[in-house]
């Protein structure tokens, strides 16, 4: 059994990640949700920017934090959805193709909330350096997270493409191009009121629904890894860290 800290975009991602990790390791592990806080009222909120802020603030003391928590954490899992690379300009602010007078001077998150910067942003989407889907999105965001953390010992970075919901759709529907689909939550899972016998309450992602999804994702995990590069890489990285 391992003690594992998880930094992710939201509580529903946490549900899928911890169940899949238990499957991969063959153990019932102990998990600590470091980001977001369970009630979503912590200082960082939720979403990909919460992951960004957590990594930025804890980079210098990350290892001390892991050792201070009781029980001591064996490793961290950091999750960010691949759609961030597809649609969020500020995630590309450090790319070599961007010519911005504020590059490496101003925090891109601060630029994003100021209209005078956002309306004149030189970032172009799709990004010339990270235009290819899946593998390019994954490498872009993994490199971004590595740059925030400075070093990545005892850390697994996972970038589900287009989102964690792609793994769910792969498990249920065996869709060969699911990682290339934008917003699988709205375009597949929540498209109708019922998804494989599970009632979907509007467009909101509810924990109780994902608790029902998780066993099916685990049962059909071989199918998910066959269809999703991000799942294959996650399995490989967790297997290495879980030894």
């Amino acid at each position: 059994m391992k003690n594992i800290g998880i930094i992710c975009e939201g509580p529903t991602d946490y549900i899928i990640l911890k169940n899949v990790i238990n499957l991969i390791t063959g153990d019932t592990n102990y998990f600590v949700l470091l980001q977001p806080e369970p009630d979503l009222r912590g200082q960082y909120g939720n979403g990909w920017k919460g992951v960004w802020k957590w990594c930025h603030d804890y980079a210098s003391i990350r290892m001390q934090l892991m050792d201070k928590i009781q029980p001591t954490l064996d490793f961290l899992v950091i999750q960010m959805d691949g759609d961030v690379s597809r649609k969020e300009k500020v995630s590309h602010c450090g790319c070599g193709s961007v010519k911005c007078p504020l590059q490496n001077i101003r925090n891109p998150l601060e630029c994003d909330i100021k209209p005078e910067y956002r309306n004149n942003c030189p970032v172009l989407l799709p990004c010339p350096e990270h235009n290819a889907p899946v593998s390019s999105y994954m490498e872009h965001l993994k490199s971004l997270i590595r740059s925030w953390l400075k070093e990545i010992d005892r850390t697994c970075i996972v970038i589900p493409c287009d989102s964690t919901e792609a793994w769910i759709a792969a498990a249920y529907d065996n869709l060969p191009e699911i990682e290339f689909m934008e917003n699988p939550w709205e375009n597949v899972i929540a498209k109708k009121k019922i998804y494989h016998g599970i009632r979907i309450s509007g467009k909101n992602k509810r924990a109780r629904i994902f608790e029902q999804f998780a066993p099916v994702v685990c049962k059909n995990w071989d199918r998910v890894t066959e269809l999703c590069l991000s799942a294959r890489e996650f399995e490989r990285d967790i297997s290495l860290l879980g030894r």
Side-chain angles (χ1 to χ4, degrees):
M1 187 183 77
K2 300 293 183 181
N3 304 317
I4 304 165
I6 295 184
I7 298 97
C8 60
E9 290 198 24
T12 57
D13 300 297
Y14 176 66
I15 291 168
I16 300 300
L17 291 172
K18 68 178 184 178
N19 279 276
V20 170
I21 293 169
N22 283 341
L23 174 71
I24 295 170
T25 61
D27 284 309
T28 301
N29 299 284
Y30 175 78
F31 295 97
V32 179
L33 180 57
L34 297 170
Q35 170 61 29
E37 294 183 28
D39 62 1
L40 302 182
R41 296 178 182 176
Q43 60 179 318
Y44 301 128
N46 65 337
W48 77 274
K49 292 180 181 178
V51 175
W52 180 334
K53 293 173 184 176
W54 191 97
C55 292
H56 180 271
D57 285 2
Y58 284 96
S60 62
I61 59 169
R62 186 174 61 87
M63 298 300 285
Q64 296 95 309
L65 174 67
M66 292 172 65
D67 292 335
K68 182 178 180 181
I69 291 175
Q70 296 299 319
T72 299
L73 298 181
D74 294 295
F75 61 88
L76 295 180
V77 173
I78 300 177
Q79 173 265 339
M80 184 178 290
D81 283 340
D83 65 355
V84 172
S85 183
R86 170 173 61 81
K87 67 183 184 181
E88 299 290 352
K89 280 190 172 187
V90 294
S91 73
H92 294 278
C93 287
C95 296
S97 61
V98 177
K99 306 301 179 185
C100 175
L102 300 174
Q103 194 171 44
N104 300 319
I105 297 174
R106 181 178 293 277
N107 185 328
L109 289 181
E110 296 177 0
C111 290
D112 187 48
I113 62 175
K114 294 179 182 296
E116 63 267 31
Y117 297 124
R118 184 170 63 248
N119 295 338
N120 295 290
C121 180
V123 177
L124 299 176
L125 292 182
C127 174
E129 290 192 9
H130 304 99
N131 189 20
V134 186
S135 59
S136 186
Y137 291 167
M138 289 168 58
E139 181 50 39
H140 168 224
L141 296 179
K142 285 186 176 183
S143 296
L144 199 61
I145 292 172
R146 288 194 291 265
S147 72
W148 302 336
L149 292 178
K150 311 303 181 185
E151 54 84 19
I152 55 169
D153 289 348
R154 295 161 56 189
T155 302
C156 169
I157 301 172
V158 55
I159 311 294
C161 289
D162 191 71
S163 63
T164 307
E165 288 75 43
W167 294 0
I168 297 169
Y172 277 94
D173 298 316
N174 197 24
L175 298 173
E177 300 295 321
I178 188 58
E179 281 196 304
F180 296 86
M181 180 179 291
E182 294 184 5
N183 199 345
W185 171 254
E186 291 191 2
N187 291 322
V188 179
I189 299 170
K191 193 172 183 179
K192 298 180 180 180
K193 293 182 179 180
I194 301 292
Y195 181 71
H196 292 274
I198 299 173
R199 181 172 294 278
I200 307 299
S201 304
K203 300 300 183 181
N204 294 327
K205 301 177 185 180
R206 302 185 187 279
R208 60 176 177 80
I209 296 174
F210 281 73
E211 293 285 3
Q212 296 177 73
F213 290 154
V216 177
V217 172
C218 291
K219 178 182 178 181
N220 295 327
W221 183 245
D222 286 345
R223 177 189 296 173
V224 178
T225 56
E226 179 182 349
L227 296 173
C228 300
L229 172 63
S230 57
R232 292 197 296 275
E233 291 199 2
F234 184 54
E235 182 178 89
R236 178 201 63 196
D237 295 343
I238 289 297
S239 297
L240 291 173
L241 284 170
R243 289 178 180 174

